[in-house]
Amino acid sequence: LAASILRYGRLENLGGVEIPDDERQTAMAWIEIKAGSRRREAIRTLREKGHWPFDRPIPVVMRDSRGFWENLVENVVRLDIEPWEIGRRLSEASGSGSTHQEIGMRVGRTTGWVTRHVQIGRGVSPVTIEFIKKNRLRLSLGELHRLSFLRDRYGDADGEAQIGAIVKRRRRR
């Protein structure tokens, strides 16, 4: 990303929100970046290497929604974010009173897409996620969605059953 910014310039602005006076850690820290943290880190790298002067400003588009939606929308379009991570963020929005249809309209996705991701975010066990990461498995959205319905007798995500289903399916292949 740093090389791309150096060669082509910054193609998108960062998105930020103003930090209330009583929450600021220092007088200079009055903006919290809600969208574009990877771009900010790339610019920091360029500054350290002398390719971006320290007195050159970094444009930030200020938002008034405390940045939740801007951050969510930006992360939804990233290719490298896992479905359960998106699902957990969408679940936060859902838990705050937004319907799946409203969330879908805000992030530019269908209601069904939102519902599937929320189910994955709520239903895939942290143990299962670690197993997937450790073994570098690439599961389809459909596989993750099916796994999210495997629950223990208390209604919680059943990591053991989910991992068992993954192993069983892999053996069949």
Side-chain angles (χ1 to χ4, degrees):
L1 186 57
S4 173
I5 291 173
L6 182 61
R7 183 170 183 176
Y8 302 108
R10 190 189 28 73
L11 300 177
E12 293 184 44
N13 285 323
L14 282 71
V17 297
E18 185 173 351
I19 300 171
D21 290 338
D22 59 335
E23 295 179 23
R24 293 180 188 173
Q25 304 221 344
T26 67
M28 295 298 292
W30 64 277
I31 295 176
E32 181 180 356
I33 300 299
K34 291 292 188 171
S37 59
R38 292 183 326 130
R39 288 188 296 274
R40 182 185 63 199
E41 289 304 313
I43 291 169
R44 181 176 292 153
T45 300
L46 291 173
R47 280 184 167 171
E48 289 171 358
K49 294 181 178 182
H51 298 297
W52 187 292
F54 281 93
D55 60 347
R56 182 178 176 187
I58 302 171
V60 177
V61 175
M62 298 302 288
R63 305 291 184 193
D64 62 357
S65 68
R66 297 286 286 158
F68 176 81
W69 291 106
E70 291 83 1
N71 180 272
L72 182 60
V73 168
E74 181 158 299
N75 283 320
V76 162
V77 298
R78 281 181 43 199
L79 298 176
D80 62 341
I81 191 165
E82 299 292 352
W84 52 81
E85 293 171 11
I86 294 172
R88 292 203 169 119
R89 293 298 309 275
L90 295 171
S91 184
E92 287 177 40
S94 178
S96 297
S98 296
T99 66
H100 290 187
Q101 183 178 15
E102 291 168 337
I103 296 167
M105 288 177 14
R106 284 193 144 191
V107 300
R109 301 294 178 141
T110 66
T111 303
W113 185 91
V114 171
T115 300
R116 279 188 298 282
H117 278 80
V118 167
Q119 176 63 35
I120 290 167
R122 290 179 180 165
V124 176
S125 163
V127 173
T128 304
I129 292 169
E130 285 307 312
F131 178 81
I132 292 168
K133 287 179 180 179
K134 179 181 174 190
N135 292 287
R136 295 187 178 117
L137 301 175
R138 301 298 321 157
L139 276 67
S140 71
L141 201 59
E143 289 174 297
L144 290 169
H145 191 243
R146 282 189 298 279
L147 289 175
S148 71
F149 288 99
L150 296 176
R151 305 289 183 150
D152 64 18
R153 64 183 181 167
Y154 302 107
D156 296 322
D158 190 339
E160 191 175 308
Q162 291 173 355
I163 291 169
I166 292 169
V167 170
K168 183 177 178 182
R169 184 165 175 82
R170 299 286 172 198
R171 279 189 193 139
R172 276 191 273 161
R173 290 184 182 175

